[in-house]
Short mmCIF file of all heavy atoms in Angstrom, two decimals:
data_model
loop_
_atom_site.label_atom_id
_atom_site.label_comp_id
_atom_site.label_asym_id
_atom_site.label_seq_id
_atom_site.Cartn_x
_atom_site.Cartn_y
_atom_site.Cartn_z
N ARG Q 13 5.10 -3.02 6.85
CA ARG Q 13 5.32 -2.05 5.81
C ARG Q 13 6.66 -2.23 5.09
O ARG Q 13 6.73 -2.10 3.86
CB ARG Q 13 5.21 -0.61 6.36
CG ARG Q 13 5.26 0.44 5.30
CD ARG Q 13 4.90 1.81 5.90
NE ARG Q 13 4.86 2.79 4.84
CZ ARG Q 13 3.92 3.74 4.81
NH1 ARG Q 13 2.98 3.79 5.69
NH2 ARG Q 13 3.95 4.68 3.89
N ARG Q 14 7.70 -2.57 5.83
CA ARG Q 14 9.04 -2.71 5.28
C ARG Q 14 9.00 -3.86 4.28
O ARG Q 14 9.56 -3.79 3.22
CB ARG Q 14 10.06 -3.00 6.35
CG ARG Q 14 10.35 -1.77 7.24
CD ARG Q 14 11.07 -0.70 6.44
NE ARG Q 14 11.41 0.43 7.26
CZ ARG Q 14 11.77 1.58 6.79
NH1 ARG Q 14 11.80 1.82 5.51
NH2 ARG Q 14 12.02 2.60 7.64
N GLU Q 15 8.36 -4.97 4.64
CA GLU Q 15 8.33 -6.12 3.73
C GLU Q 15 7.52 -5.78 2.46
O GLU Q 15 7.94 -6.23 1.38
CB GLU Q 15 7.64 -7.27 4.45
CG GLU Q 15 8.49 -7.91 5.56
CD GLU Q 15 9.81 -8.46 5.01
OE1 GLU Q 15 9.77 -9.14 3.97
OE2 GLU Q 15 10.81 -8.22 5.62
N MET Q 16 6.50 -4.94 2.58
CA MET Q 16 5.74 -4.64 1.41
C MET Q 16 6.42 -3.78 0.46
O MET Q 16 6.07 -3.61 -0.72
CB MET Q 16 4.39 -4.02 1.83
CG MET Q 16 3.51 -4.97 2.60
SD MET Q 16 1.82 -4.33 2.76
CE MET Q 16 1.27 -4.64 1.11
N LEU Q 17 7.47 -3.02 0.91
CA LEU Q 17 8.26 -2.15 0.09
C LEU Q 17 9.34 -2.91 -0.67
O LEU Q 17 9.97 -2.32 -1.54
CB LEU Q 17 8.88 -1.02 0.92
CG LEU Q 17 7.85 -0.04 1.46
CD1 LEU Q 17 8.59 0.94 2.40
CD2 LEU Q 17 7.19 0.78 0.34
N LYS Q 18 9.56 -4.13 -0.40
CA LYS Q 18 10.62 -4.94 -1.02
C LYS Q 18 10.11 -5.63 -2.27
O LYS Q 18 10.00 -6.82 -2.36
CB LYS Q 18 11.19 -5.94 -0.08
CG LYS Q 18 11.92 -5.32 1.17
CD LYS Q 18 12.42 -6.34 2.13
CE LYS Q 18 13.08 -5.69 3.34
NZ LYS Q 18 13.53 -6.72 4.31
N PHE Q 19 9.72 -4.81 -3.25
CA PHE Q 19 9.17 -5.43 -4.44
C PHE Q 19 9.89 -4.96 -5.68
O PHE Q 19 9.35 -4.83 -6.76
CB PHE Q 19 7.66 -5.09 -4.61
CG PHE Q 19 7.40 -3.62 -4.54
CD1 PHE Q 19 7.41 -2.92 -5.72
CD2 PHE Q 19 7.08 -3.00 -3.38
CE1 PHE Q 19 7.15 -1.52 -5.69
CE2 PHE Q 19 6.81 -1.63 -3.34
CZ PHE Q 19 6.86 -0.90 -4.53
N GLY Q 20 11.19 -4.57 -5.48
CA GLY Q 20 11.98 -4.13 -6.60
C GLY Q 20 11.44 -2.84 -7.17
O GLY Q 20 11.20 -1.88 -6.51
N ALA Q 21 11.21 -2.87 -8.50
CA ALA Q 21 10.71 -1.66 -9.19
C ALA Q 21 9.23 -1.67 -9.41
O ALA Q 21 8.70 -0.85 -10.15
CB ALA Q 21 11.42 -1.47 -10.49
N ALA Q 22 8.55 -2.62 -8.77
CA ALA Q 22 7.04 -2.66 -8.92
C ALA Q 22 6.45 -1.41 -8.28
O ALA Q 22 7.05 -0.75 -7.49
CB ALA Q 22 6.51 -3.96 -8.28
N THR Q 23 5.21 -1.21 -8.66
CA THR Q 23 4.51 0.02 -8.17
C THR Q 23 3.60 -0.35 -7.00
O THR Q 23 2.95 -1.37 -6.99
CB THR Q 23 3.66 0.61 -9.28
OG1 THR Q 23 4.53 0.88 -10.33
CG2 THR Q 23 2.96 1.88 -8.85
N MET Q 24 3.51 0.61 -6.04
CA MET Q 24 2.64 0.41 -4.90
C MET Q 24 1.80 1.69 -4.70
O MET Q 24 2.37 2.78 -4.72
CB MET Q 24 3.39 0.14 -3.62
CG MET Q 24 2.52 -0.11 -2.38
SD MET Q 24 3.45 -0.34 -0.91
CE MET Q 24 4.18 -1.94 -1.28
N ALA Q 25 0.50 1.62 -4.56
CA ALA Q 25 -0.32 2.75 -4.28
C ALA Q 25 -0.85 2.62 -2.87
O ALA Q 25 -1.32 1.57 -2.48
CB ALA Q 25 -1.50 2.84 -5.23
N VAL Q 26 -0.72 3.67 -2.10
CA VAL Q 26 -1.09 3.65 -0.68
C VAL Q 26 -2.11 4.75 -0.41
O VAL Q 26 -1.87 5.85 -0.72
CB VAL Q 26 0.15 3.82 0.20
CG1 VAL Q 26 -0.23 3.76 1.65
CG2 VAL Q 26 1.18 2.82 -0.15
N THR Q 27 -3.23 4.39 0.22
CA THR Q 27 -4.15 5.39 0.70
C THR Q 27 -3.95 5.50 2.16
O THR Q 27 -4.21 4.58 2.91
CB THR Q 27 -5.58 4.97 0.39
OG1 THR Q 27 -5.69 4.73 -1.00
CG2 THR Q 27 -6.56 6.05 0.79
N LEU Q 28 -3.58 6.67 2.70
CA LEU Q 28 -3.41 6.95 4.10
C LEU Q 28 -4.70 7.58 4.63
O LEU Q 28 -4.93 8.76 4.33
CB LEU Q 28 -2.22 7.80 4.38
CG LEU Q 28 -0.87 7.22 4.00
CD1 LEU Q 28 0.26 8.16 4.36
CD2 LEU Q 28 -0.63 5.90 4.73
N GLN Q 29 -5.50 6.88 5.31
CA GLN Q 29 -6.70 7.49 5.90
C GLN Q 29 -6.31 8.28 7.13
O GLN Q 29 -5.58 7.77 8.00
CB GLN Q 29 -7.69 6.42 6.25
CG GLN Q 29 -8.18 5.60 5.03
CD GLN Q 29 -8.93 6.48 4.05
OE1 GLN Q 29 -9.42 7.48 4.39
NE2 GLN Q 29 -8.96 6.08 2.80
N PRO Q 30 -6.77 9.51 7.31
CA PRO Q 30 -6.37 10.34 8.47
C PRO Q 30 -6.63 9.69 9.79
O PRO Q 30 -5.79 9.85 10.72
CB PRO Q 30 -7.25 11.59 8.25
CG PRO Q 30 -7.62 11.63 6.85
CD PRO Q 30 -7.70 10.18 6.41
N ALA Q 31 -7.68 8.93 9.95
CA ALA Q 31 -8.01 8.40 11.26
C ALA Q 31 -7.23 7.09 11.54
O ALA Q 31 -7.38 6.51 12.56
CB ALA Q 31 -9.49 8.12 11.41
N ALA Q 32 -6.46 6.67 10.56
CA ALA Q 32 -5.77 5.34 10.78
C ALA Q 32 -4.39 5.37 10.22
O ALA Q 32 -4.03 4.51 9.42
CB ALA Q 32 -6.61 4.26 10.09
N PHE Q 33 -3.60 6.33 10.64
CA PHE Q 33 -2.21 6.41 10.17
C PHE Q 33 -1.42 5.21 10.48
O PHE Q 33 -0.70 4.64 9.66
CB PHE Q 33 -1.53 7.66 10.79
CG PHE Q 33 -0.12 7.86 10.35
CD1 PHE Q 33 0.15 8.60 9.24
CD2 PHE Q 33 0.94 7.30 11.05
CE1 PHE Q 33 1.41 8.87 8.84
CE2 PHE Q 33 2.23 7.51 10.67
CZ PHE Q 33 2.47 8.26 9.56
N ALA Q 34 -1.62 4.69 11.70
CA ALA Q 34 -0.84 3.51 12.10
C ALA Q 34 -1.19 2.24 11.32
O ALA Q 34 -0.45 1.27 11.26
CB ALA Q 34 -1.04 3.24 13.58
N LYS Q 35 -2.38 2.24 10.72
CA LYS Q 35 -2.82 1.05 9.97
C LYS Q 35 -2.61 1.26 8.44
O LYS Q 35 -3.17 0.48 7.70
CB LYS Q 35 -4.32 0.80 10.25
CG LYS Q 35 -4.59 0.49 11.73
CD LYS Q 35 -6.03 0.18 11.92
CE LYS Q 35 -6.32 -0.17 13.34
NZ LYS Q 35 -7.78 -0.46 13.55
N SER Q 36 -1.86 2.31 8.07
CA SER Q 36 -1.74 2.54 6.65
C SER Q 36 -1.13 1.41 5.87
O SER Q 36 -1.45 1.19 4.68
CB SER Q 36 -0.94 3.82 6.42
OG SER Q 36 0.37 3.67 6.93
N ALA Q 37 -0.25 0.65 6.50
CA ALA Q 37 0.38 -0.45 5.81
C ALA Q 37 -0.63 -1.52 5.40
O ALA Q 37 -0.45 -2.20 4.37
CB ALA Q 37 1.44 -1.08 6.71
N GLU Q 38 -1.68 -1.66 6.17
CA GLU Q 38 -2.69 -2.62 5.87
C GLU Q 38 -3.50 -2.29 4.64
O GLU Q 38 -4.18 -3.13 4.05
CB GLU Q 38 -3.65 -2.76 7.04
CG GLU Q 38 -2.93 -3.25 8.31
CD GLU Q 38 -3.92 -3.23 9.49
OE1 GLU Q 38 -5.10 -3.09 9.31
OE2 GLU Q 38 -3.46 -3.33 10.62
N LYS Q 39 -3.43 -1.00 4.25
CA LYS Q 39 -4.19 -0.54 3.13
C LYS Q 39 -3.44 -0.52 1.83
O LYS Q 39 -3.93 -0.15 0.80
CB LYS Q 39 -4.74 0.93 3.36
CG LYS Q 39 -5.66 0.98 4.59
CD LYS Q 39 -6.12 2.39 4.81
CE LYS Q 39 -7.04 2.51 5.99
NZ LYS Q 39 -8.31 1.84 5.76
N THR Q 40 -2.11 -0.96 1.86
CA THR Q 40 -1.31 -0.95 0.65
C THR Q 40 -1.64 -2.16 -0.18
O THR Q 40 -2.00 -3.23 0.29
CB THR Q 40 0.17 -0.99 1.02
OG1 THR Q 40 0.46 -2.18 1.69
CG2 THR Q 40 0.56 0.22 1.89
N ARG Q 41 -1.55 -1.98 -1.54
CA ARG Q 41 -1.70 -3.06 -2.42
C ARG Q 41 -1.06 -2.74 -3.77
O ARG Q 41 -0.89 -1.55 -4.15
CB ARG Q 41 -3.19 -3.44 -2.64
CG ARG Q 41 -3.93 -2.32 -3.45
CD ARG Q 41 -5.37 -2.69 -3.67
NE ARG Q 41 -6.14 -2.47 -2.47
CZ ARG Q 41 -7.45 -2.60 -2.43
NH1 ARG Q 41 -8.16 -3.03 -3.54
NH2 ARG Q 41 -8.16 -2.37 -1.32
N SER Q 42 -0.63 -3.73 -4.50
CA SER Q 42 0.06 -3.45 -5.80
C SER Q 42 -1.06 -3.04 -6.80
O SER Q 42 -2.12 -3.61 -6.82
CB SER Q 42 0.70 -4.77 -6.27
OG SER Q 42 1.16 -4.53 -7.58
N THR Q 43 -0.70 -2.01 -7.56
CA THR Q 43 -1.63 -1.57 -8.63
C THR Q 43 -0.91 -1.39 -9.90
O THR Q 43 -1.16 -0.50 -10.73
CB THR Q 43 -2.25 -0.20 -8.22
OG1 THR Q 43 -1.21 0.72 -8.02
CG2 THR Q 43 -3.11 -0.30 -6.96
N ALA Q 44 0.04 -2.32 -10.19
CA ALA Q 44 0.78 -2.24 -11.42
C ALA Q 44 -0.08 -2.41 -12.64
O ALA Q 44 0.05 -1.77 -13.65
CB ALA Q 44 1.87 -3.34 -11.43
N SER Q 45 -1.07 -3.31 -12.53
CA SER Q 45 -1.97 -3.55 -13.64
C SER Q 45 -3.37 -3.79 -13.09
O SER Q 45 -3.89 -4.89 -13.18
CB SER Q 45 -1.57 -4.71 -14.51
OG SER Q 45 -0.25 -4.55 -15.01
N PRO Q 46 -4.01 -2.75 -12.50
CA PRO Q 46 -5.30 -2.99 -11.83
C PRO Q 46 -6.43 -3.11 -12.81
O PRO Q 46 -6.43 -2.51 -13.90
CB PRO Q 46 -5.45 -1.64 -11.02
CG PRO Q 46 -4.71 -0.63 -11.80
CD PRO Q 46 -3.57 -1.34 -12.46
N SER Q 47 -7.37 -3.91 -12.41
CA SER Q 47 -8.63 -3.95 -13.20
C SER Q 47 -9.56 -2.91 -12.61
O SER Q 47 -9.40 -2.48 -11.49
CB SER Q 47 -9.22 -5.39 -13.09
OG SER Q 47 -9.49 -5.72 -11.76
N PRO Q 48 -10.62 -2.51 -13.32
CA PRO Q 48 -11.51 -1.44 -12.86
C PRO Q 48 -12.10 -1.73 -11.53
O PRO Q 48 -12.35 -0.86 -10.72
CB PRO Q 48 -12.60 -1.39 -13.95
CG PRO Q 48 -11.91 -1.94 -15.20
CD PRO Q 48 -10.93 -2.98 -14.68
N ASP Q 49 -12.37 -3.00 -11.19
CA ASP Q 49 -13.02 -3.32 -9.92
C ASP Q 49 -12.04 -3.41 -8.76
O ASP Q 49 -12.41 -3.70 -7.64
CB ASP Q 49 -13.86 -4.58 -10.05
CG ASP Q 49 -12.99 -5.80 -10.42
OD1 ASP Q 49 -11.90 -5.60 -10.91
OD2 ASP Q 49 -13.50 -6.96 -10.21
#
């Protein structure tokens, strides 16, 4: 998770699923310019 936060001023959207708090870092992805899909 620490490494994924080192992106300067880029944007990150994170979905924390209740049953998988410890795995929340795996669900992160950049959404600065997302396509609909």
Side-chain angles (χ1 to χ4, degrees):
R13 187 171 183 139
R14 289 293 181 195
E15 289 299 316
M16 295 193 75
L17 291 172
K18 296 178 180 178
F19 55 88
T23 303
M24 182 184 291
V26 182
T27 305
L28 295 181
Q29 297 297 336
F33 180 89
K35 297 182 179 179
S36 61
E38 299 175 13
K39 297 180 179 292
T40 63
R41 70 178 75 174
S42 173
T43 57
S45 302
S47 61
D49 60 343

